Amino acid sequence: DTGVSQDPRHKITKRGQNVTFRCDPISEHNRLYWYRQTLGQGPEFLTYFQNEAQLEKSRLLSDRFSAERPKGSFSTLEIQRTEQGDSAMYLCASSFDGPFSPLHFGNGTRLTVT
Amino acid sequence: RKEVEQDPGPFNVPEGATVAFNCTYSNSASQSFFWYRQDCRKEPKLLMSVYSSGNEDGRFTAQLNRASQYISLLIRDSKLSDSATYLCVVNPFAGKSTFGDGTTLTVKP
């Protein structure tokens, strides 16, 4: 299966801890996106990369969140000093360049902050 | 006001019914449009793109009205397996895809 893969699938952490998630996109895709989704809401944009360049970051994203895509392949999303409000599904997606290329999502990482 | 708005539903319909969902968007410069399907606690999956002239894929028909800034999804002959949340997605020329909050459909026997 050459789809988008995310790791881990589930993460339970205590408030104040740091967590890091990994995403491996479809290899031919040069764009990689991170979204966050809570129950009853649609996916909320966090950030996206074109190759290794981070082109946009949501203004809603606090400084505790950081994402990298060092070689233009896989990406990591780190949340520092987690808070209970960070509990959500974190979705990674990839696509080709351009507005007409749809996003392909991974299975997501479900984060629970206790 | 949200950039992309959908009626959250839920829509509860019997098998075989026809059901339609609408989605409105605020950015008149939006370039492309999609419908995604999301099952409970799963990732969104692409259902279909929406083309300016309207398009059909089996029992599913998508329409775009740029003047009124809305897109629609029509499902004919509903199946139990169509029960899911349907997400409307709008893309600008450059930048992020914006999702609606979804419309929940339950098809009952």
Side-chain angles (χ1 to χ4, degrees), chain A residues 93-112:
Chain A
S94 67
S95 75
F96 292 110
D97 193 9
F100 300 100
S101 177
L103 272 59
H104 297 265
F105 284 89
N107 292 331
T109 294
R110 185 168 297 280
L111 173 67
T112 302

Side-chain angles (χ1 to χ4, degrees), chain A residues 68-109:
Chain A
E68 294 183 343
R69 195 183 182 197
K71 297 183 179 179
S73 56
F74 74 92
S75 174
T76 58
L77 176 69
E78 181 182 19
I79 309 174
Q80 295 181 329
R81 304 181 303 283
T82 52
E83 301 173 356
Q84 287 188 319
D86 297 331
S87 295
M89 173 77 90
Y90 289 81
L91 293 162
C92 176
S94 67
S95 75
F96 292 110
D97 193 9
F100 300 100
S101 177
L103 272 59
H104 297 265
F105 284 89
N107 292 331
T109 294

Side-chain angles (χ1 to χ4, degrees), chain A residues 9-20:
Chain A
R9 292 292 302 276
H10 303 275
K11 179 71 177 178
I12 300 174
T13 191
K14 292 185 177 180
R15 189 176 52 187
Q17 297 295 304
N18 299 344
V19 294
T20 300

Side-chain angles (χ1 to χ4, degrees), chain A residues 9-10 31 33 35 37 39-43 45 48 56 89 91 98-108 110, chain B residues 2 31-34 36 38 41-46 49 87 91-102:
Chain A
R9 292 292 302 276
H10 303 275
R31 284 197 178 181
Y33 299 79
Y35 283 80
Q37 188 175 27
L39 197 62
Q41 305 293 312
F45 172 77
Y48 89 95
E56 188 174 349
M89 173 77 90
L91 293 162
F100 300 100
S101 177
L103 272 59
H104 297 265
F105 284 89
N107 292 331
R110 185 168 297 280
Chain B
K2 289 193 171 188
Q31 291 290 312
S32 61
F33 310 87
F34 304 92
Y36 279 72
Q38 186 171 29
R41 301 179 73 83
K42 300 283 191 179
E43 77 276 18
K45 292 186 177 179
L46 179 67
S49 303
L87 297 164
N91 281 5
F93 180 77
K96 65 184 189 292
S97 298
T98 300
F99 286 74
D101 286 335

